[in-house]
Amino acid sequence: MAYTEWGAPDNPRVVVCVHGLTRNGRDFDDLARALADDFRVVCPDVVGRGRSDWLAVKADYGFPLYVADMITLIARLDVEQVNWVGTSMGGIIGMLVASQPHTPIARLVLNDVGPVITAVSLQRIAQYVGTAPKFPTMEAAEAYIRMVSAPFGPLSDAQWRHLTNFSVRPVGGPGGGFAMVYDPGLGDVFRAAPVSEDIDLWPVYERVACPTLALRGAESDLLERSTFLAMAEQGPRARTVEFAGVGHAPMLMDPAQIAVVRDFLLAA
């Protein structure tokens, strides 16, 4: 499992940033840069994504493995506690780790994810996971990423280019071109058990005891507003912040979004 590090490697104050289903750790470059003076920031590529290895047995992609990998990563960092910023899938992994007895997570940021995952959002995601074409040019790749990632909200041309640069890899052989940097086998796993009902993670959320910040894109289809508001009243009673003009998920590239996360982490 590959990861990118920011800040002083001997800083005991660590933030682990974990991305969404088909994304990678370089999504957090702007946030990590803003945190690096105060924290050691570690941004892993979950297995099957980014620069990390792909699994030979695609059925192994799932939360039991992701949680085990992250516990191993934290042990490798040689610290007693970490702060966790998780977007979508990364937030679910964070909830699962934070809900365990003697969890190493001291503060938890859940970015556009919570204890109910809507079926409609999973059905939308299933339409594109693992189905991306090969792109003849970087411009074509960026156009595709802008289309499937439109819910990220208004990003600058430079930000879209950054996301594209780390979302695709050159393809060798005849024709060349570019392909996404995640294992298409993720889509096979995702579609093997189609979801028709919302996924209920309230029992997990209720066991989270650390200070928690919940973020939501105001137009999100994955985290419903009713669930988001309930997160402030149950379990860790999260502090809640909603961002206008954004769906699933806020990319934490905007200075205002970064400031909310940074202030919460520094409050410790």
Side-chain angles (χ1 to χ4, degrees), residues 30-100:
D30 289 347
L31 176 65
R33 197 175 290 114
L35 296 176
D37 285 346
D38 298 290
F39 299 95
R40 177 187 182 189
V41 186
V42 179
C43 305
D45 293 340
V46 176
V47 64
R49 290 87 166 170
R51 294 175 295 120
S52 292
D53 288 345
W54 293 4
L55 296 178
V57 180
K58 309 309 178 186
D60 287 346
Y61 286 120
F63 289 104
L65 178 64
Y66 302 156
V67 168
D69 281 352
M70 293 304 162
I71 294 298
T72 302
L73 172 63
I74 293 170
R76 179 188 178 96
L77 299 177
D78 196 26
V79 290
E80 293 296 319
Q81 290 188 318
V82 299
N83 301 294
W84 188 282
V85 178
T87 296
S88 194
M89 178 189 75
I92 297 174
I93 299 170
M95 270 197 291
L96 291 168
V97 176
S99 69
Q100 299 301 312

Side-chain angles (χ1 to χ4, degrees), residues 110 130 160 164 235-236:
L110 298 175
W160 282 118
T164 303

